[in-house]
Amino acid sequence: MGMTLKVMKEEGGVRGLYRGLVATAMGVAPYVGINFAAYEALRGVITPPGKGTIARKLACGALAGESVEFAVSFPGKF
C-alpha cells in the first residue's frame, strides 16, 4: 500500500491521489439515494412506532440493500 501511494504521489502529485473521486461519487449516489428511500419505506412498514428493535432495523437494511441491488443497480448480476 505504501509503495502504491508513493508511486501515485510521484506521478500525479497530491491531486493524483483523488483522481476519479467525483466520478465514483456520481456512480454511487443514485444507489445510496434509492437504498435510503427503500430503507425508510420498509422501516415504516416493518417497524411500527414503539417496536423498533435492532433485529427489525437490520432486516429493513438488508431488504432495502438487496432489493435496490437486484432491481436497480446491478440487474444483470442475478
Side-chain angles (χ1 to χ4, degrees):
M1 180 86 176
M3 184 64 167
T4 303
L5 290 175
K6 181 180 176 187
V7 170
M8 287 178 67
K9 187 177 176 188
E10 288 173 358
E11 290 181 1
V14 175
R15 288 183 60 171
L17 297 175
Y18 296 99
R19 186 177 303 143
L21 182 64
V22 173
T24 301
M26 289 179 69
V28 173
Y31 170 77
V32 172
I34 295 169
N35 190 5
F36 181 73
Y39 171 78
E40 288 296 322
L42 286 168
R43 190 174 63 110
V45 174
I46 295 176
T47 60
K51 296 188 178 184
T53 64
I54 292 174
R56 287 179 187 237
K57 290 179 183 177
L58 286 172
C60 290
L63 288 171
E66 283 301 314
S67 64
V68 171
E69 182 175 339
F70 178 73
V72 179
S73 296
F74 309 106
K77 183 177 175 182
F78 297 99

